[in-house]
Amino acid sequence: MAEIKDPENTLILETTKGQVVIQLLPQVAPEHVARIKELARENAYDGVVFHRVIDGFMAQTGDVQYGKQGSESFNPGRAGMGGSSKPDLKAEFSATSHIRGTCSMARSQNPNSANSQFFICFADAPWLNKQYSVWGQVISGMDIVDQIKRGEPVKDPDSIVSARLAADV
């Protein structure tokens, strides 16, 4: 595992494929980082599927409304259409590039519609720069991210087993 320098700003995702460690970037997107931390501390991401995974592009997850296995509202056909009960976030676009391992918020056409869904880039995606709010960077486990099952939607998807801040484990 990567050396964790700031446990309060390090997210540990246990996935069905293995562990992914993400360095949060509060200096880049403070409100988005605060939301990720809030949802992780509520265990909201536990059981959430990777519902849209495009080879050579990204793996998307975080639909705590329709994508959380075992919840009353879990609906594989609607996974990717929901968010959380919290209000949408105002965009925090930055000069931080979308490179391999970048974690960024998913959103609709409305730039201020990010809520709980996010994606991890498999490769550099410069066309996303200044269009999506970057909030983290994978520092360990990209080999795990690379193993996540592909699809749009994904048949029998991989999921987040748990999402915890290093400060809390």
Side-chain angles (χ1 to χ4, degrees):
M1 188 165 80
E3 179 186 349
I4 294 174
K5 296 181 177 141
D6 182 1
E8 183 59 32
N9 287 301
T10 305
L11 183 68
I12 301 171
L13 290 184
E14 290 293 343
T15 74
T16 47
K17 293 294 191 210
Q19 187 178 83
V20 179
V21 182
I22 300 167
Q23 180 65 56
L24 302 176
L25 304 172
Q27 71 281 13
V28 174
E31 297 302 317
H32 288 75
V33 167
R35 173 65 54 85
I36 295 291
K37 290 165 73 167
E38 181 182 21
L39 291 169
R41 286 197 158 120
E42 293 172 357
N43 301 336
Y45 287 125
D46 297 7
V48 175
V49 299
F50 286 89
H51 64 270
R52 181 174 179 241
V53 184
I54 303 170
D55 198 34
F57 180 29
M58 58 90 215
Q60 186 170 331
T61 185
D63 182 347
V64 301
Q65 183 177 6
Y66 300 120
K68 188 175 175 86
Q69 295 170 319
S71 74
E72 257 181 50
S73 60
F74 177 62
N75 182 337
R78 295 202 67 197
M81 296 179 190
S84 73
S85 60
K86 300 172 189 324
D88 288 348
L89 296 166
K90 187 173 185 309
E92 292 179 298
F93 300 156
S94 69
T96 304
S97 295
H98 285 78
I99 60 172
R100 178 170 164 77
T102 295
C103 302
S104 196
M105 292 304 272
R107 62 173 178 79
S108 70
Q109 292 297 103
N110 177 349
N112 301 313
S113 62
N115 188 291
S116 65
Q117 291 189 47
F118 65 90
F119 59 91
I120 303 171
C121 293
F122 288 125
D124 296 359
W127 63 92
L128 300 178
N129 294 348
K130 298 182 182 174
Q131 305 288 320
Y132 291 82
S133 299
V134 173
W135 57 264
Q137 180 68 40
V138 173
I139 57 172
S140 174
M142 269 311 291
D143 57 322
I144 301 301
V145 176
D146 288 338
Q147 296 173 42
I148 295 171
K149 198 177 298 167
R150 308 311 201 248
E152 285 186 90
V154 184
K155 188 175 178 176
D156 188 29
D158 288 306
S159 62
I160 297 169
V161 176
S162 68
R164 300 288 180 272
L165 293 168
D168 299 339
V169 293

